[in-house]
Amino acid sequence: QVQLVESGGGLVQAGGSLRLSCAASGRTFSSAAVGWFRQAPGKEREFVAAIAWNGGSTVYTWYADSMKGRFTISRDNAKSTVYLQLNSLSPEDTADYYCASKKFGVGYPRSVADFGSWGQGTRVTVSS
Protein backbone atom coordinates (compact mmCIF):
# COMPACT_ATOMS: atom_id res chain seq x y z
CA GLN A 1 0.00 0.00 0.00
CA VAL A 2 1.26 3.48 -0.95
CA GLN A 3 0.61 6.56 1.16
CA LEU A 4 0.77 9.99 -0.46
CA VAL A 5 1.07 13.36 1.23
CA GLU A 6 0.74 16.66 -0.63
CA SER A 7 2.27 19.90 0.55
CA GLY A 8 3.29 23.31 -0.74
CA GLY A 9 -0.08 24.95 -1.22
CA GLY A 10 -0.85 28.41 0.02
CA LEU A 11 -2.08 31.87 -0.84
CA VAL A 12 -0.42 33.67 -3.74
CA GLN A 13 -1.19 36.69 -5.85
CA ALA A 14 -2.13 36.42 -9.50
CA GLY A 15 0.96 35.89 -11.61
CA GLY A 16 2.81 34.16 -8.80
CA SER A 17 4.20 30.67 -8.48
CA LEU A 18 4.07 27.69 -6.17
CA ARG A 19 5.73 24.31 -6.08
CA LEU A 20 3.63 21.46 -4.80
CA SER A 21 5.11 18.24 -3.48
CA CYS A 22 3.72 14.73 -3.39
CA ALA A 23 5.71 12.51 -1.06
CA ALA A 24 5.23 8.76 -1.17
CA SER A 25 5.81 6.26 1.60
CA GLY A 26 5.03 2.66 2.28
CA ARG A 27 4.95 0.31 -0.67
CA THR A 28 6.41 2.04 -3.71
CA PHE A 29 7.13 0.75 -7.20
CA SER A 30 10.03 1.01 -9.60
CA SER A 31 7.49 1.36 -12.42
CA ALA A 32 4.59 3.63 -11.64
CA ALA A 33 2.62 6.73 -12.54
CA VAL A 34 1.69 9.73 -10.41
CA GLY A 35 -0.93 12.22 -11.44
CA TRP A 36 -1.94 15.64 -10.17
CA PHE A 37 -5.60 16.58 -10.12
CA ARG A 38 -7.43 19.61 -8.82
CA GLN A 39 -10.91 20.35 -7.61
CA ALA A 40 -12.38 23.81 -7.26
CA PRO A 41 -15.46 24.46 -5.12
CA GLY A 42 -18.57 23.22 -6.86
CA LYS A 43 -16.62 21.65 -9.72
CA GLU A 44 -15.54 18.14 -10.58
CA ARG A 45 -12.03 16.93 -10.02
CA GLU A 46 -9.98 17.47 -13.16
CA PHE A 47 -6.71 16.16 -14.49
CA VAL A 48 -3.70 18.48 -14.37
CA ALA A 49 -0.53 16.54 -15.15
CA ALA A 50 1.07 13.15 -14.73
CA ILE A 51 4.45 11.51 -14.74
CA ALA A 52 5.33 7.86 -15.21
CA TRP A 53 8.45 5.81 -15.16
CA ASN A 54 9.27 2.31 -16.28
CA GLY A 55 12.49 1.65 -14.47
CA GLY A 56 14.90 4.27 -13.26
CA SER A 57 15.72 6.21 -16.41
CA THR A 58 12.76 6.32 -18.81
CA VAL A 59 10.28 9.00 -17.78
CA TYR A 60 7.05 10.12 -19.46
CA THR A 61 5.05 13.25 -18.74
CA TRP A 62 1.70 14.48 -20.00
CA TYR A 63 -0.53 17.44 -19.25
CA ALA A 64 -4.00 18.79 -19.60
CA ASP A 65 -3.98 21.15 -22.58
CA SER A 66 -4.94 24.15 -20.48
CA MET A 67 -2.05 23.61 -18.08
CA LYS A 68 0.68 22.80 -20.56
CA GLY A 69 3.27 25.56 -20.63
CA ARG A 70 2.38 26.96 -17.21
CA PHE A 71 2.73 23.86 -15.05
CA THR A 72 5.62 21.43 -14.93
CA ILE A 73 5.68 18.00 -13.33
CA SER A 74 8.91 16.37 -12.23
CA ARG A 75 10.25 13.63 -10.01
CA ASP A 76 12.98 13.17 -7.44
CA ASN A 77 13.29 9.44 -7.17
CA ALA A 78 15.78 9.56 -4.31
CA LYS A 79 13.23 11.44 -2.21
CA SER A 80 10.22 9.46 -3.44
CA THR A 81 8.63 12.79 -4.32
CA VAL A 82 6.81 14.17 -7.34
CA TYR A 83 6.61 17.93 -7.79
CA LEU A 84 4.20 20.18 -9.60
CA GLN A 85 5.54 23.63 -10.43
CA LEU A 86 2.74 26.14 -10.86
CA ASN A 87 3.60 29.34 -12.72
CA SER A 88 1.63 32.34 -13.92
CA LEU A 89 -1.18 31.53 -11.55
CA SER A 90 -4.58 33.10 -11.93
CA PRO A 91 -7.65 33.03 -9.68
CA GLU A 92 -9.07 30.29 -11.91
CA ASP A 93 -6.32 28.01 -10.59
CA THR A 94 -7.71 28.20 -7.07
CA ALA A 95 -8.50 24.65 -6.00
CA ASP A 96 -7.53 21.76 -3.81
CA TYR A 97 -4.71 19.91 -5.53
CA TYR A 98 -4.37 16.16 -5.12
CA CYS A 99 -1.80 13.63 -6.19
CA ALA A 100 -2.61 10.03 -6.95
CA SER A 101 -0.67 6.98 -8.01
CA LYS A 102 -1.13 3.88 -10.08
CA LYS A 103 0.98 1.10 -11.43
CA PHE A 104 2.68 1.78 -14.73
CA GLY A 105 0.54 0.62 -17.60
CA VAL A 106 -0.69 1.25 -21.12
CA GLY A 107 -1.42 4.71 -22.44
CA TYR A 108 -1.60 8.11 -20.76
CA PRO A 109 -4.41 7.98 -18.22
CA ARG A 110 -6.24 11.21 -17.40
CA SER A 111 -9.24 9.97 -15.46
CA VAL A 112 -9.76 9.96 -11.72
CA ALA A 113 -10.89 6.36 -11.96
CA ASP A 114 -7.54 5.30 -13.39
CA PHE A 115 -5.69 6.17 -10.19
CA GLY A 116 -6.12 4.14 -7.04
CA SER A 117 -4.17 5.82 -4.22
CA TRP A 118 -4.84 9.42 -3.26
CA GLY A 119 -3.38 11.98 -0.91
CA GLN A 120 -5.35 14.35 1.29
CA GLY A 121 -4.84 17.38 -0.93
CA THR A 122 -3.23 20.77 -0.54
CA ARG A 123 -5.07 24.02 -1.05
CA VAL A 124 -3.97 26.62 -3.57
CA THR A 125 -5.61 30.02 -3.38
CA VAL A 126 -4.81 32.70 -5.94
CA SER A 127 -5.92 36.22 -5.19
CA SER A 128 -6.69 38.86 -7.79
Side-chain angles (χ1 to χ4, degrees):
Q1 187 176 1
V2 178
Q3 292 81 45
L4 303 177
V5 178
E6 302 95 333
S7 62
L11 174 64
V12 298
Q13 295 183 4
S17 299
L18 286 172
R19 190 179 73 164
L20 309 182
S21 298
C22 174
S25 62
R27 181 76 164 90
T28 58
F29 302 93
S30 60
S31 300
V34 173
W36 282 97
F37 296 77
R38 69 184 186 183
Q39 187 166 22
K43 303 181 74 174
E44 295 184 4
R45 192 166 299 186
E46 66 174 337
F47 173 76
V48 175
I51 187 168
W53 53 96
N54 187 15
S57 60
T58 303
V59 180
Y60 308 87
T61 60
W62 59 102
Y63 299 84
D65 289 341
S66 60
M67 286 77 167
K68 189 175 180 64
R70 294 195 301 124
F71 298 171
T72 304
I73 191 168
S74 62
R75 176 190 70 154
D76 187 334
N77 191 52
K79 298 180 179 179
S80 298
T81 300
V82 171
Y83 302 98
L84 183 68
Q85 179 69 39
L86 310 176
N87 295 326
S88 301
L89 288 166
S90 69
E92 289 70 33
D93 297 314
T94 295
D96 291 332
Y97 284 71
Y98 300 86
C99 64
S101 67
K102 69 180 298 293
K103 293 182 178 179
F104 185 91
V106 176
Y108 301 92
R110 297 168 177 263
S111 299
V112 169
D114 291 325
F115 292 80
S117 298
W118 293 82
Q120 85 290 343
T122 185
R123 181 159 294 179
V124 172
T125 303
V126 184
S127 64
S128 59

